[in-house]
Every structure is written in structure tokens, then in C-alpha cells.
Amino acid sequence: MLTIHADSRGSALAVEGEVVVGAGDLAELAGGYPRARVRRWPGILTPGFVNLHGTELLEEAYHPDPREADALGTEPLTGAALAALAPDDVRWGGSARRGVQRMLAHGTVAAACDPLRNRAVRDAVRRTGLDVVERRGRPGGVPSLDPFASGLPPRTPPARKTGSAACFAVFDVADEAELAERGASTCVATVIGGRLLYRRR
């Protein structure tokens, strides 16, 4: 089904399958695709973010299951705490899925990673649908789910246009300046390959 995603500024993307088939003003796209379903989002449509610390967040950190919160807390475990936990493959797979979901909740559409060595992590990430892009070396900065908190300039894919992959994120802010001020936790929706993989409840 062809869907038009529109933001509070009237900007819109028409998506069919995995591809953007139209980009521009909502009124124009709605007129061109009168049978399309229109999904209106609060805030602004963006290309989303590439998280530069994919390896650190997915393969070098353990994201506790909510059922483990009493014993492990809710923040990712790294360093000595991770070594003491010594997760098995089942735990690593679950951690990777939760880590990806947390990334999606911050508008991440791709993670920059060294080749993932942990098979359980690699398989779990592949099944989530998150794009993984190759990187060369550690990027510096501080690994963070929020690209604005990493100490590095946030990286974004090119602007979406007709023919682009249907990958984007929506943030409940008035403009890009407010997004930079409030951070990526303002994300309300993340779409990858035309699939709504995250929606804030």
C-alpha cells in the first residue's frame, strides 16, 4: 500500500514498498496520490541518523532485559561489569535486539560498525532490519544512543528524495534547532526499508 508520511510543517514523503516514490509538499503529494493512506506525524521528518558507535553499543555493551533491572539496572553494562556478567549467546542475542530497539527510539536508521565478530549479535541485528554500514577504526567520542550526546557531529544520511530508500525518522520538535537542543529522544517514529520499526506510544 502506498503511504504518505507527513510532518507538522507540511513536508511529506510518499512511500511504496521499500522506496520513496515522491517527496515534497503534502498537498501536492496527496493530489498526486489520491488513494494513498496519509499518516500525519507531530514534528519534523528527517533522514534519521547513522550512529557512529554501532560496535560499542551492540557488541561491547549488554542491554539488560527489563526483567533483569533489579539485579543489573537499566543502563548498558560495559567494561568490568560486562566481563563479570559474561553473557552467553542467548543473552547476547537478546541484548542486541534491545540495543537496536533503543537506537530506533533515537531515530537511528543505520549503525556504523567494525565487522561484528559475535555471531549471536550479528544474527540478531540482521533480523531487526537496522542497516549496518562499514566503518574504518574507532570514531572517538563517547558511545551514546543519542547521537547528540556522543561529542561528535551527528551523521545523517542524504535527504530523502524520489528513488531513495524509504528510511527516515520523525522527531516531535518544531525544527532542527530544537532537535539539536532537546536531543534524539524526541523521536516518535523510525522507518527503515518502508517498515515502521519504531513508534512511540
Short mmCIF file of all heavy atoms in Angstrom, two decimals, residues 1-6 12-17 19-22 29 33 35-41 168 194:
data_model
loop_
_atom_site.label_atom_id
_atom_site.label_comp_id
_atom_site.label_asym_id
_atom_site.label_seq_id
_atom_site.Cartn_x
_atom_site.Cartn_y
_atom_site.Cartn_z
N MET A 1 0.83 -1.20 0.00
CA MET A 1 0.00 0.00 0.00
C MET A 1 0.87 1.25 0.00
O MET A 1 1.86 1.33 0.73
CB MET A 1 -0.91 0.02 1.23
CG MET A 1 -1.72 1.31 1.37
SD MET A 1 -2.71 1.39 2.86
CE MET A 1 -3.95 0.16 2.48
N LEU A 2 0.50 2.21 -0.82
CA LEU A 2 1.23 3.47 -0.86
C LEU A 2 0.81 4.33 0.32
O LEU A 2 -0.38 4.52 0.57
CB LEU A 2 0.96 4.19 -2.18
CG LEU A 2 1.93 5.32 -2.54
CD1 LEU A 2 2.06 5.44 -4.05
CD2 LEU A 2 1.49 6.65 -1.96
N THR A 3 1.79 4.83 1.06
CA THR A 3 1.53 5.64 2.25
C THR A 3 2.27 6.95 2.14
O THR A 3 3.44 6.99 1.75
CB THR A 3 1.98 4.91 3.52
OG1 THR A 3 1.30 3.66 3.63
CG2 THR A 3 1.69 5.74 4.76
N ILE A 4 1.58 8.03 2.49
CA ILE A 4 2.21 9.34 2.57
C ILE A 4 2.44 9.67 4.03
O ILE A 4 1.52 9.67 4.84
CB ILE A 4 1.34 10.43 1.92
CG1 ILE A 4 1.17 10.15 0.42
CG2 ILE A 4 1.94 11.81 2.14
CD1 ILE A 4 0.20 11.09 -0.28
N HIS A 5 3.71 9.90 4.38
CA HIS A 5 4.08 10.31 5.73
C HIS A 5 4.29 11.82 5.72
O HIS A 5 5.09 12.33 4.92
CB HIS A 5 5.37 9.62 6.16
CG HIS A 5 5.25 8.13 6.28
ND1 HIS A 5 4.95 7.50 7.47
CD2 HIS A 5 5.39 7.15 5.34
CE1 HIS A 5 4.92 6.19 7.27
NE2 HIS A 5 5.17 5.95 5.99
N ALA A 6 3.57 12.52 6.57
CA ALA A 6 3.64 13.98 6.58
C ALA A 6 3.97 14.49 7.98
O ALA A 6 3.57 13.89 8.98
CB ALA A 6 2.31 14.58 6.12
N ALA A 12 6.39 16.06 3.23
CA ALA A 12 5.86 14.71 3.15
C ALA A 12 6.72 13.83 2.26
O ALA A 12 7.45 14.31 1.38
CB ALA A 12 4.43 14.74 2.62
N LEU A 13 6.61 12.53 2.52
CA LEU A 13 7.24 11.50 1.69
C LEU A 13 6.16 10.48 1.31
O LEU A 13 5.42 10.02 2.17
CB LEU A 13 8.35 10.79 2.44
CG LEU A 13 9.57 11.61 2.87
CD1 LEU A 13 10.47 10.78 3.78
CD2 LEU A 13 10.35 12.09 1.65
N ALA A 14 6.10 10.15 0.04
CA ALA A 14 5.22 9.08 -0.42
C ALA A 14 6.05 7.82 -0.55
O ALA A 14 7.09 7.81 -1.22
CB ALA A 14 4.59 9.44 -1.77
N VAL A 15 5.61 6.77 0.14
CA VAL A 15 6.38 5.54 0.22
C VAL A 15 5.57 4.38 -0.34
O VAL A 15 4.41 4.18 0.03
CB VAL A 15 6.77 5.25 1.70
CG1 VAL A 15 7.44 3.89 1.81
CG2 VAL A 15 7.69 6.34 2.23
N GLU A 16 6.21 3.63 -1.22
CA GLU A 16 5.60 2.40 -1.73
C GLU A 16 6.63 1.28 -1.59
O GLU A 16 7.71 1.37 -2.17
CB GLU A 16 5.17 2.56 -3.19
CG GLU A 16 4.38 1.37 -3.71
CD GLU A 16 3.69 1.66 -5.03
OE1 GLU A 16 4.18 2.52 -5.79
OE2 GLU A 16 2.65 1.03 -5.29
N GLY A 17 6.30 0.29 -0.80
CA GLY A 17 7.27 -0.76 -0.54
C GLY A 17 8.47 -0.20 0.20
O GLY A 17 8.34 0.45 1.22
N VAL A 19 10.65 1.98 -1.13
CA VAL A 19 11.18 3.12 -1.88
C VAL A 19 10.32 4.37 -1.69
O VAL A 19 9.10 4.29 -1.57
CB VAL A 19 11.25 2.77 -3.40
CG1 VAL A 19 11.79 3.94 -4.20
CG2 VAL A 19 12.13 1.54 -3.61
N VAL A 20 10.99 5.51 -1.66
CA VAL A 20 10.30 6.80 -1.69
C VAL A 20 9.93 7.09 -3.14
O VAL A 20 10.80 7.17 -4.01
CB VAL A 20 11.20 7.93 -1.14
CG1 VAL A 20 10.52 9.28 -1.32
CG2 VAL A 20 11.52 7.69 0.33
N VAL A 21 8.65 7.23 -3.41
CA VAL A 21 8.20 7.49 -4.78
C VAL A 21 7.83 8.95 -4.99
O VAL A 21 7.52 9.37 -6.11
CB VAL A 21 7.01 6.58 -5.17
CG1 VAL A 21 7.43 5.12 -5.16
CG2 VAL A 21 5.83 6.79 -4.23
N GLY A 22 7.86 9.74 -3.92
CA GLY A 22 7.58 11.16 -4.05
C GLY A 22 8.00 11.89 -2.78
O GLY A 22 7.90 11.35 -1.68
N LEU A 29 1.54 16.00 -2.90
CA LEU A 29 1.61 14.55 -2.96
C LEU A 29 0.23 13.91 -2.80
O LEU A 29 -0.09 12.93 -3.48
CB LEU A 29 2.55 14.02 -1.88
CG LEU A 29 4.05 14.29 -2.08
CD1 LEU A 29 4.84 13.72 -0.92
CD2 LEU A 29 4.53 13.71 -3.40
N TYR A 33 -1.45 11.40 -5.40
CA TYR A 33 -1.76 10.03 -4.99
C TYR A 33 -3.05 10.04 -4.16
O TYR A 33 -3.01 9.85 -2.94
CB TYR A 33 -0.61 9.44 -4.17
CG TYR A 33 0.71 9.37 -4.92
CD1 TYR A 33 1.70 10.33 -4.70
CD2 TYR A 33 0.97 8.35 -5.83
CE1 TYR A 33 2.92 10.26 -5.36
CE2 TYR A 33 2.17 8.27 -6.50
CZ TYR A 33 3.14 9.23 -6.27
OH TYR A 33 4.34 9.16 -6.93
N ARG A 35 -5.40 8.01 -3.66
CA ARG A 35 -5.81 6.78 -2.96
C ARG A 35 -4.84 6.38 -1.85
O ARG A 35 -5.06 5.37 -1.17
CB ARG A 35 -5.92 5.63 -3.97
CG ARG A 35 -7.02 5.84 -5.01
CD ARG A 35 -7.10 4.64 -5.95
NE ARG A 35 -8.15 4.81 -6.94
CZ ARG A 35 -9.42 4.49 -6.75
NH1 ARG A 35 -9.80 3.96 -5.60
NH2 ARG A 35 -10.32 4.68 -7.70
N ALA A 36 -3.78 7.17 -1.68
CA ALA A 36 -2.78 6.81 -0.68
C ALA A 36 -3.32 7.02 0.74
O ALA A 36 -4.12 7.91 0.99
CB ALA A 36 -1.53 7.65 -0.87
N ARG A 37 -2.85 6.18 1.64
CA ARG A 37 -3.11 6.41 3.05
C ARG A 37 -2.19 7.52 3.53
O ARG A 37 -1.00 7.52 3.22
CB ARG A 37 -2.84 5.14 3.85
CG ARG A 37 -3.02 5.30 5.35
CD ARG A 37 -2.75 4.02 6.12
NE ARG A 37 -1.38 3.57 5.96
CZ ARG A 37 -0.85 2.56 6.62
NH1 ARG A 37 -1.60 1.85 7.45
NH2 ARG A 37 0.41 2.21 6.44
N VAL A 38 -2.72 8.46 4.29
CA VAL A 38 -1.91 9.58 4.79
C VAL A 38 -1.71 9.39 6.29
O VAL A 38 -2.67 9.26 7.05
CB VAL A 38 -2.60 10.94 4.51
CG1 VAL A 38 -1.76 12.07 5.12
CG2 VAL A 38 -2.77 11.14 3.01
N ARG A 39 -0.45 9.38 6.68
CA ARG A 39 -0.10 9.26 8.11
C ARG A 39 0.56 10.57 8.53
O ARG A 39 1.64 10.91 8.04
CB ARG A 39 0.82 8.07 8.31
CG ARG A 39 1.31 7.92 9.73
CD ARG A 39 1.98 6.57 9.92
NE ARG A 39 1.02 5.58 10.41
CZ ARG A 39 1.24 4.27 10.42
NH1 ARG A 39 2.34 3.79 9.91
NH2 ARG A 39 0.34 3.44 10.92
N ARG A 40 -0.10 11.27 9.43
CA ARG A 40 0.42 12.57 9.89
C ARG A 40 1.15 12.40 11.22
O ARG A 40 0.61 11.82 12.15
CB ARG A 40 -0.73 13.57 10.04
CG ARG A 40 -1.34 13.99 8.70
CD ARG A 40 -2.51 14.96 8.90
NE ARG A 40 -2.96 15.55 7.66
CZ ARG A 40 -3.80 14.97 6.81
NH1 ARG A 40 -4.30 13.77 7.11
NH2 ARG A 40 -4.16 15.57 5.69
N TRP A 41 2.36 12.92 11.27
CA TRP A 41 3.19 12.82 12.46
C TRP A 41 3.40 14.19 13.08
O TRP A 41 3.53 15.19 12.36
CB TRP A 41 4.56 12.24 12.10
CG TRP A 41 4.54 10.86 11.54
CD1 TRP A 41 4.70 10.49 10.23
CD2 TRP A 41 4.36 9.64 12.27
NE1 TRP A 41 4.63 9.13 10.09
CE2 TRP A 41 4.43 8.59 11.33
CE3 TRP A 41 4.16 9.35 13.62
CZ2 TRP A 41 4.30 7.25 11.70
CZ3 TRP A 41 4.04 8.01 13.99
CH2 TRP A 41 4.11 6.98 13.04
N PHE A 168 13.78 6.83 7.23
CA PHE A 168 13.69 8.18 7.80
C PHE A 168 13.20 8.09 9.23
O PHE A 168 12.78 7.03 9.70
CB PHE A 168 12.76 9.07 6.96
CG PHE A 168 11.37 8.52 6.76
CD1 PHE A 168 10.34 8.81 7.63
CD2 PHE A 168 11.10 7.69 5.66
CE1 PHE A 168 9.06 8.30 7.44
CE2 PHE A 168 9.83 7.18 5.46
CZ PHE A 168 8.81 7.48 6.35
N GLY A 194 10.90 1.08 4.38
CA GLY A 194 9.45 1.20 4.25
C GLY A 194 8.68 0.61 5.41
O GLY A 194 7.45 0.69 5.44
#
